Structure formats: structure tokens, C-alpha cells
Amino acid sequence: MAFYWHHFEKLKREEFENTWGCVYEGLHADSRLVLVMPLFFVLRRICFLIIVIGGYQFIWLQVMSQLAFCFFSLIFVYLNRPFEEEITNKLDMFNEITTVVLLYMIYNFSDLIPDEENRYLVGYFFVAILFINLSVHLTLIGISIFQDLRDKFKEWHVKCQKRREKEKHQKSKRIIVEGTDIVRDE
């Protein structure tokens, strides 16, 4: 991160972005604070790994630490809008909200709820929320693929039309030899 902070003025230059831009690709490069996002992403996963391995017997610690990360990330994305595309900002906030709801529901699978029927009911809601989240992502992916295919088809159609016009133009191109009635195709 220090490297990017040091070269902050160069971030928007094409040669710098082509060489070093993969870390901040898709992020607004006009704020130093936004450059913390990739670092936070990696640190969040490392902390999750440490807490799951080191505190495997403390489910409350795992859930509370993940809730803290989710709330921090949600507030950060809401206030800073770090991504270039607004749909990505909204989708990230949607993911964090979904994760918070699911983390709160995890407590219901413990011994806090003694009735198994209620646990099953909570389980159905848990699966439904996961399904909604997955459906939103798959729908957006499907729309993106459809738009890409439509654009590719349009490009292909335009190329085919140009090629046909060129072939038609070459066939109809004739040179008339001066002073005679001879017509020759080229």
C-alpha cells in the first residue's frame, strides 16, 4: 500500500496503470483512502482464518469479529463509494447486509434455541436469504453475459455487412476502355 500511496499522482497514467494497476482496478483512483480497500480485503480473510483456527471453540468470537468486519466494510463503502461503477458499490453493500443477517441467524442454530422445529424454521429462512443473494448475483452475471453476446453479435453483423458491400462493390466495379464499347470487370 505504501508503494501506491507514494506514487499516488501516477495512478491515472496509462503506463503506470498497465504495469501496476491490477491492485486498484475498478476502484476510484482519486482518493488515497480508497486504496486501503484491497488491503482490508486481504486482512479480513487473514483474520477470519486466524480466528477460525485459533478460536474454533468460541463461536461467539467468530461471529462477533465477522460482524465487526461487515459493519466496518458496509460503512466504508457507503461513505466512500470506492468502486467506479455504482452497481458494484450497491452490490457490495447488499453482500455485507446479507452477511450481517446470516451471521445474526447463526446464533439460532446453537443451544440458545432448544426447540428443533424453530431451528428448522430459521434454517429455511437462512437458505432463502442465501438463495436470494445467489439469485441476484446470477441474474446480474446472466444480464452481463447477454449484453456482451448482443454486442459481439452486433459487431459480427456489421463486419459481415461491410464484407458483403465490399464484395458487391468489387463485382460491380467496371472499367470502360476509352473509345470502345468493351467493358471489363476488375
Side-chain angles (χ1 to χ4, degrees):
M1 236 355 78
F3 174 77
Y4 290 102
W5 279 46
H6 179 70
H7 296 287
F8 183 73
E9 295 77 28
K10 298 179 185 177
L11 293 181
K12 293 195 178 192
R13 293 184 190 161
E14 188 174 337
E15 64 275 356
F16 186 85
E17 189 172 344
N18 289 339
T19 307
W20 305 102
C22 63
V23 172
Y24 61 92
E25 184 177 358
L27 295 173
H28 285 291
D30 52 357
S31 171
R32 289 181 192 256
L33 188 60
V34 170
L35 295 176
V36 175
M37 191 78 173
L39 180 64
F40 176 72
F41 180 84
V42 172
L43 288 177
R44 181 176 180 179
R45 269 97 187 133
I46 291 171
C47 289
F48 176 74
L49 181 66
I50 291 169
I51 290 171
V52 167
I53 292 173
Y56 66 91
Q57 66 273 24
F58 304 111
I59 186 73
W60 61 269
L61 177 64
Q62 295 174 16
V63 172
M64 294 307 284
S65 64
Q66 289 308 305
L67 280 171
F69 281 121
C70 285
F71 282 126
F72 177 79
S73 180
L74 184 61
I75 291 168
F76 182 81
V77 171
Y78 180 75
L79 294 176
N80 295 306
R81 305 285 184 183
F83 299 104
E84 290 176 349
E85 295 182 17
E86 187 59 27
I87 188 74
T88 308
N89 288 318
K90 290 179 181 178
L91 195 57
D92 196 39
M93 288 188 289
F94 174 71
N95 286 335
E96 296 300 336
I97 290 170
T98 303
T99 304
V100 166
V101 170
L102 293 176
L103 284 169
Y104 276 123
M105 292 177 84
I106 285 178
Y107 283 120
N108 293 317
F109 299 125
S110 67
D111 291 334
L112 294 173
I113 306 292
D115 188 19
E116 287 185 19
E117 288 181 29
N118 288 339
R119 285 188 195 172
Y120 276 104
L121 184 62
V122 170
Y124 291 131
F125 284 115
F126 191 90
V127 170
I129 291 171
L130 276 175
F131 180 76
I132 290 168
N133 188 296
L134 184 63
S135 298
V136 167
H137 286 280
L138 290 177
T139 302
L140 291 174
I141 289 171
I143 290 170
S144 175
I145 289 172
F146 176 75
Q147 289 173 343
D148 288 345
L149 287 174
R150 185 187 64 205
D151 294 342
K152 294 287 185 186
F153 181 75
K154 284 181 182 179
E155 289 175 16
W156 174 77
H157 185 68
V158 168
K159 284 181 182 178
C160 287
Q161 280 183 333
K162 286 181 180 180
R163 188 176 65 226
R164 280 190 217 127
E165 287 178 14
K166 184 178 178 182
E167 289 172 359
K168 186 178 178 182
H169 181 69
Q170 285 179 348
K171 285 182 180 180
S172 66
K173 188 176 178 185
R174 297 173 181 260
I175 297 178
I176 300 176
V177 178
E178 290 182 28
T180 64
D181 290 338
I182 302 171
V183 178
R184 183 175 50 138
D185 286 335
E186 238 185 26

Coordinates of all heavy atoms in Angstrom, one line a residue, residues 37-87:
M37 N -8.8 -0.3 0.4 CA -9.8 -1.4 0.2 C -9.2 -2.7 -0.1 O -9.6 -3.7 0.5 CB -10.8 -0.9 -1.0 CG -11.9 -1.8 -1.1 SD -13.2 -1.4 0.1 CE -14.5 -2.4 -0.5
P38 N -8.2 -2.9 -1.1 CA -7.6 -4.2 -1.3 C -6.9 -4.7 -0.1 O -6.9 -5.9 0.2 CB -6.6 -3.9 -2.5 CG -7.1 -2.7 -3.1 CD -7.7 -1.9 -2.0
L39 N -6.2 -3.9 0.7 CA -5.5 -4.3 1.9 C -6.5 -4.8 2.9 O -6.3 -5.8 3.5 CB -4.7 -3.1 2.4 CG -3.9 -3.4 3.7 CD1 -2.8 -4.5 3.5 CD2 -3.3 -2.1 4.3
F40 N -7.6 -4.1 3.1 CA -8.7 -4.5 4.0 C -9.2 -5.9 3.6 O -9.5 -6.7 4.4 CB -9.8 -3.5 4.1 CG -10.9 -3.9 5.0 CD1 -10.8 -3.9 6.4 CD2 -12.1 -4.2 4.4 CE1 -11.8 -4.3 7.2 CE2 -13.2 -4.6 5.2 CZ -13.0 -4.7 6.6
F41 N -9.4 -6.0 2.3 CA -10.0 -7.3 1.8 C -9.1 -8.5 2.2 O -9.6 -9.5 2.7 CB -10.1 -7.2 0.3 CG -10.6 -8.5 -0.4 CD1 -11.9 -8.7 -0.5 CD2 -9.7 -9.4 -0.9 CE1 -12.4 -9.8 -1.1 CE2 -10.2 -10.5 -1.5 CZ -11.6 -10.7 -1.6
V42 N -7.8 -8.3 2.0 CA -6.8 -9.4 2.4 C -6.7 -9.6 3.9 O -6.8 -10.7 4.4 CB -5.4 -9.1 1.8 CG1 -4.4 -10.1 2.3 CG2 -5.5 -9.2 0.3
L43 N -6.6 -8.5 4.6 CA -6.6 -8.6 6.1 C -7.8 -9.2 6.7 O -7.7 -10.0 7.7 CB -6.3 -7.2 6.7 CG -4.9 -6.6 6.5 CD1 -4.8 -5.2 7.1 CD2 -3.9 -7.5 7.1
R44 N -8.9 -8.9 6.1 CA -10.2 -9.5 6.6 C -10.2 -11.0 6.5 O -10.6 -11.8 7.4 CB -11.4 -8.9 5.8 CG -12.7 -9.4 6.3 CD -13.8 -8.7 5.5 NE -15.1 -9.2 5.9 CZ -16.2 -8.7 5.4 NH1 -16.2 -7.8 4.4 NH2 -17.4 -9.2 5.8
R45 N -9.7 -11.6 5.4 CA -9.6 -13.0 5.2 C -8.6 -13.6 6.1 O -8.8 -14.7 6.6 CB -9.3 -13.3 3.7 CG -10.6 -13.5 2.9 CD -10.9 -12.3 2.2 NE -12.3 -12.4 1.6 CZ -13.2 -11.4 1.7 NH1 -12.9 -10.4 2.4 NH2 -14.3 -11.5 1.1
I46 N -7.4 -13.0 6.3 CA -6.4 -13.5 7.2 C -6.9 -13.6 8.6 O -6.7 -14.6 9.3 CB -5.1 -12.7 7.1 CG1 -4.5 -12.9 5.7 CG2 -4.1 -13.0 8.2 CD1 -3.3 -11.9 5.4
C47 N -7.6 -12.5 9.1 CA -8.2 -12.5 10.4 C -9.2 -13.6 10.6 O -9.3 -14.3 11.6 CB -8.8 -11.1 10.7 SG -7.5 -9.9 11.0
F48 N -10.0 -13.8 9.5 CA -11.0 -14.9 9.6 C -10.3 -16.2 9.8 O -10.7 -17.0 10.6 CB -11.9 -14.8 8.3 CG -12.9 -16.0 8.3 CD1 -14.0 -15.9 9.0 CD2 -12.7 -17.0 7.4 CE1 -14.9 -17.0 9.0 CE2 -13.6 -18.1 7.3 CZ -14.7 -18.0 8.1
L49 N -9.3 -16.4 9.0 CA -8.5 -17.7 9.1 C -8.0 -17.9 10.5 O -8.1 -19.0 11.1 CB -7.4 -17.7 8.1 CG -6.6 -19.0 8.0 CD1 -7.4 -20.2 7.5 CD2 -5.4 -18.7 7.0
I50 N -7.4 -16.9 11.1 CA -6.7 -17.0 12.4 C -7.8 -17.2 13.5 O -7.6 -18.1 14.3 CB -6.0 -15.7 12.7 CG1 -4.7 -15.6 11.8 CG2 -5.6 -15.6 14.2 CD1 -4.0 -14.3 11.9
I51 N -8.9 -16.5 13.4 CA -10.0 -16.7 14.4 C -10.6 -18.0 14.3 O -11.0 -18.7 15.3 CB -11.0 -15.5 14.2 CG1 -10.4 -14.2 14.7 CG2 -12.3 -15.8 15.1 CD1 -11.2 -13.0 14.4
V52 N -10.9 -18.5 13.1 CA -11.5 -19.9 12.9 C -10.6 -21.0 13.4 O -11.0 -21.9 14.1 CB -11.9 -20.1 11.4 CG1 -12.2 -21.6 11.2 CG2 -13.0 -19.2 11.0
I53 N -9.3 -20.9 13.1 CA -8.3 -21.9 13.6 C -8.0 -21.7 15.1 O -8.0 -22.7 15.8 CB -7.0 -21.8 12.7 CG1 -7.3 -22.3 11.3 CG2 -6.0 -22.7 13.4 CD1 -6.2 -22.1 10.3
G54 N -7.7 -20.5 15.5 CA -7.3 -20.3 16.9 C -8.5 -20.3 17.9 O -8.3 -20.7 19.0
G55 N -9.7 -19.9 17.4 CA -10.8 -19.8 18.3 C -11.9 -20.7 17.9 O -13.1 -20.3 18.0
Y56 N -11.6 -21.9 17.5 CA -12.6 -22.8 16.9 C -13.7 -23.1 18.0 O -14.8 -23.4 17.7 CB -12.0 -24.0 16.3 CG -11.4 -24.9 17.3 CD1 -12.0 -25.9 18.0 CD2 -10.0 -24.8 17.6 CE1 -11.4 -26.8 18.9 CE2 -9.4 -25.6 18.5 CZ -10.1 -26.6 19.1 OH -9.4 -27.4 20.1
Q57 N -13.3 -23.1 19.3 CA -14.3 -23.4 20.3 C -15.2 -22.2 20.7 O -16.1 -22.4 21.5 CB -13.6 -24.0 21.5 CG -12.7 -23.1 22.3 CD -11.3 -23.1 21.8 OE1 -11.0 -23.4 20.6 NE2 -10.3 -22.7 22.6
F58 N -14.8 -21.0 20.2 CA -15.6 -19.8 20.6 C -16.4 -19.3 19.4 O -15.9 -18.4 18.7 CB -14.6 -18.7 21.1 CG -13.8 -19.1 22.3 CD1 -12.4 -19.3 22.1 CD2 -14.4 -19.4 23.5 CE1 -11.6 -19.7 23.2 CE2 -13.6 -19.8 24.6 CZ -12.2 -19.9 24.4
I59 N -17.6 -19.8 19.2 CA -18.4 -19.4 18.1 C -18.7 -18.0 18.2 O -18.8 -17.2 17.2 CB -19.6 -20.3 17.9 CG1 -20.4 -20.0 16.6 CG2 -20.5 -20.2 19.1 CD1 -19.7 -20.4 15.4
W60 N -19.0 -17.5 19.4 CA -19.3 -16.1 19.6 C -18.2 -15.1 19.1 O -18.5 -14.1 18.6 CB -19.7 -15.8 21.0 CG -18.6 -16.1 22.0 CD1 -18.3 -17.3 22.6 CD2 -17.6 -15.2 22.4 NE1 -17.1 -17.1 23.4 CE2 -16.7 -15.8 23.2 CE3 -17.3 -13.8 22.1 CZ2 -15.6 -15.2 23.8 CZ3 -16.2 -13.2 22.6 CH2 -15.3 -13.9 23.5
L61 N -17.0 -15.5 19.3 CA -15.8 -14.7 18.9 C -15.8 -14.7 17.4 O -15.6 -13.6 16.8 CB -14.5 -15.3 19.4 CG -13.3 -14.6 19.0 CD1 -13.2 -13.1 19.5 CD2 -12.0 -15.3 19.5
Q62 N -16.0 -15.8 16.7 CA -16.0 -15.8 15.3 C -17.1 -15.0 14.7 O -16.9 -14.2 13.8 CB -16.2 -17.3 14.8 CG -15.0 -18.2 15.2 CD -15.3 -19.6 14.8 OE1 -16.2 -19.9 14.0 NE2 -14.5 -20.5 15.3
V63 N -18.3 -15.1 15.2 CA -19.4 -14.3 14.7 C -19.3 -12.8 15.0 O -19.5 -12.0 14.1 CB -20.8 -14.9 15.3 CG1 -21.9 -14.0 14.9 CG2 -21.0 -16.3 14.8
M64 N -18.9 -12.5 16.2 CA -18.7 -11.1 16.5 C -17.6 -10.4 15.7 O -17.7 -9.2 15.3 CB -18.5 -10.9 18.0 CG -19.6 -11.3 18.9 SD -21.2 -10.6 18.4 CE -21.0 -8.9 19.1
S65 N -16.5 -11.1 15.5 CA -15.4 -10.5 14.7 C -15.9 -10.3 13.3 O -15.6 -9.3 12.6 CB -14.2 -11.4 14.8 OG -14.4 -12.6 14.2
Q66 N -16.6 -11.3 12.7 CA -17.1 -11.1 11.3 C -18.1 -10.0 11.2 O -18.2 -9.3 10.3 CB -17.7 -12.4 10.8 CG -16.6 -13.5 10.5 CD -15.5 -12.9 9.7 OE1 -15.7 -12.4 8.6 NE2 -14.2 -13.0 10.1
L67 N -19.0 -9.9 12.3 CA -19.9 -8.8 12.3 C -19.2 -7.4 12.3 O -19.6 -6.5 11.6 CB -20.9 -8.9 13.5 CG -22.0 -9.9 13.4 CD1 -22.7 -10.0 14.7 CD2 -23.0 -9.4 12.3
A68 N -18.2 -7.3 13.1 CA -17.4 -6.1 13.1 C -16.8 -5.7 11.8 O -16.9 -4.6 11.3 CB -16.3 -6.2 14.2
F69 N -16.2 -6.7 11.1 CA -15.7 -6.5 9.8 C -16.8 -6.1 8.8 O -16.6 -5.2 7.9 CB -14.9 -7.8 9.3 CG -13.6 -7.9 9.8 CD1 -13.2 -9.1 10.5 CD2 -12.6 -7.0 9.6 CE1 -12.0 -9.3 11.1 CE2 -11.3 -7.2 10.1 CZ -11.0 -8.3 10.8
C70 N -17.9 -6.8 8.9 CA -19.0 -6.5 8.0 C -19.5 -5.0 8.2 O -19.7 -4.3 7.2 CB -20.2 -7.4 8.2 SG -19.9 -9.1 7.5
F71 N -19.7 -4.6 9.4 CA -20.2 -3.3 9.7 C -19.1 -2.2 9.2 O -19.5 -1.2 8.6 CB -20.5 -3.1 11.2 CG -21.8 -3.7 11.5 CD1 -21.9 -4.6 12.6 CD2 -23.0 -3.3 10.9 CE1 -23.1 -5.1 12.9 CE2 -24.2 -3.8 11.2 CZ -24.3 -4.7 12.2
F72 N -17.9 -2.5 9.5 CA -16.8 -1.6 9.0 C -16.8 -1.5 7.5 O -16.8 -0.3 7.0 CB -15.5 -2.0 9.5 CG -14.3 -1.2 9.1 CD1 -14.1 0.1 9.7 CD2 -13.5 -1.5 8.0 CE1 -13.1 0.9 9.2 CE2 -12.5 -0.7 7.5 CZ -12.3 0.5 8.1
S73 N -16.9 -2.6 6.8 CA -16.9 -2.6 5.4 C -18.1 -1.9 4.8 O -18.0 -1.1 3.9 CB -16.8 -4.0 4.9 OG -16.8 -4.0 3.5
L74 N -19.3 -2.1 5.4 CA -20.5 -1.5 5.0 C -20.5 0.0 5.1 O -20.8 0.7 4.2 CB -21.7 -2.1 5.8 CG -23.1 -1.6 5.4 CD1 -23.4 -2.0 4.0 CD2 -24.1 -2.2 6.4
I75 N -20.0 0.5 6.3 CA -19.9 1.9 6.5 C -18.9 2.5 5.5 O -19.1 3.6 5.0 CB -19.5 2.2 8.0 CG1 -20.7 1.8 8.9 CG2 -19.1 3.6 8.2 CD1 -20.4 1.8 10.3
F76 N -17.7 1.8 5.3 CA -16.7 2.3 4.5 C -17.2 2.5 3.0 O -17.0 3.5 2.4 CB -15.5 1.4 4.5 CG -14.3 1.9 3.6 CD1 -13.5 2.8 4.1 CD2 -14.1 1.4 2.4 CE1 -12.4 3.3 3.3 CE2 -13.1 1.8 1.6 CZ -12.2 2.8 2.1
V77 N -17.9 1.5 2.5 CA -18.4 1.5 1.2 C -19.5 2.6 1.0 O -19.6 3.3 0.0 CB -18.9 0.1 0.7 CG1 -19.6 0.2 -0.6 CG2 -17.7 -0.8 0.6
Y78 N -20.4 2.7 2.0 CA -21.4 3.6 2.0 C -20.9 5.1 2.0 O -21.4 5.9 1.2 CB -22.4 3.4 3.2 CG -23.5 4.4 3.2 CD1 -24.6 4.3 2.3 CD2 -23.5 5.5 4.1 CE1 -25.6 5.2 2.3 CE2 -24.6 6.4 4.1 CZ -25.6 6.2 3.2 OH -26.6 7.1 3.2
L79 N -19.9 5.3 2.8 CA -19.4 6.7 2.9 C -18.4 7.1 1.7 O -18.4 8.2 1.3 CB -18.7 6.9 4.2 CG -19.6 6.9 5.5 CD1 -18.7 7.0 6.7 CD2 -20.6 7.9 5.4
N80 N -17.6 6.1 1.3 CA -16.6 6.5 0.3 C -16.9 6.1 -1.2 O -16.2 6.6 -2.1 CB -15.3 5.8 0.7 CG -14.8 6.3 2.0 OD1 -14.6 7.5 2.1 ND2 -14.5 5.5 3.0
R81 N -17.8 5.2 -1.4 CA -18.2 4.7 -2.7 C -16.9 4.4 -3.5 O -16.6 5.1 -4.5 CB -19.0 5.8 -3.5 CG -20.2 6.2 -2.8 CD -21.3 5.2 -2.9 NE -22.5 5.7 -2.3 CZ -23.6 4.9 -2.2 NH1 -23.6 3.7 -2.6 NH2 -24.7 5.4 -1.6
P82 N -16.1 3.4 -3.1 CA -14.8 3.2 -3.6 C -14.8 2.7 -5.0 O -13.8 2.8 -5.7 CB -14.2 2.2 -2.7 CG -15.3 1.5 -2.1 CD -16.4 2.5 -2.0
F83 N -15.8 2.0 -5.5 CA -15.8 1.4 -6.8 C -16.3 2.4 -7.9 O -17.1 3.3 -7.6 CB -16.7 0.2 -6.8 CG -16.3 -0.9 -5.9 CD1 -17.0 -1.1 -4.7 CD2 -15.2 -1.7 -6.1 CE1 -16.6 -2.0 -3.8 CE2 -14.8 -2.6 -5.2 CZ -15.4 -2.8 -4.0
E84 N -15.7 2.2 -9.1 CA -16.0 3.1 -10.2 C -17.5 3.0 -10.6 O -18.1 4.0 -10.9 CB -15.1 2.9 -11.3 CG -13.7 3.3 -11.1 CD -12.7 2.9 -12.2 OE1 -13.1 2.2 -13.1 OE2 -11.6 3.4 -12.2
E85 N -18.0 1.8 -10.6 CA -19.4 1.6 -11.0 C -20.3 1.6 -9.8 O -20.0 0.9 -8.8 CB -19.5 0.2 -11.8 CG -18.7 0.2 -13.1 CD -18.9 -1.1 -13.8 OE1 -19.8 -1.8 -13.5 OE2 -18.1 -1.3 -14.7
E86 N -21.4 2.3 -9.9 CA -22.3 2.4 -8.7 C -22.9 1.1 -8.4 O -23.2 0.8 -7.3 CB -23.3 3.5 -9.0 CG -24.2 3.8 -7.8 CD -23.5 4.3 -6.6 OE1 -22.4 4.9 -6.7 OE2 -24.0 4.0 -5.5
I87 N -23.2 0.3 -9.5 CA -23.8 -1.0 -9.2 C -22.9 -1.9 -8.4 O -23.4 -2.7 -7.5 CB -24.2 -1.7 -10.6 CG1 -25.0 -3.0 -10.3 CG2 -22.9 -2.1 -11.4 CD1 -26.4 -2.8 -9.9

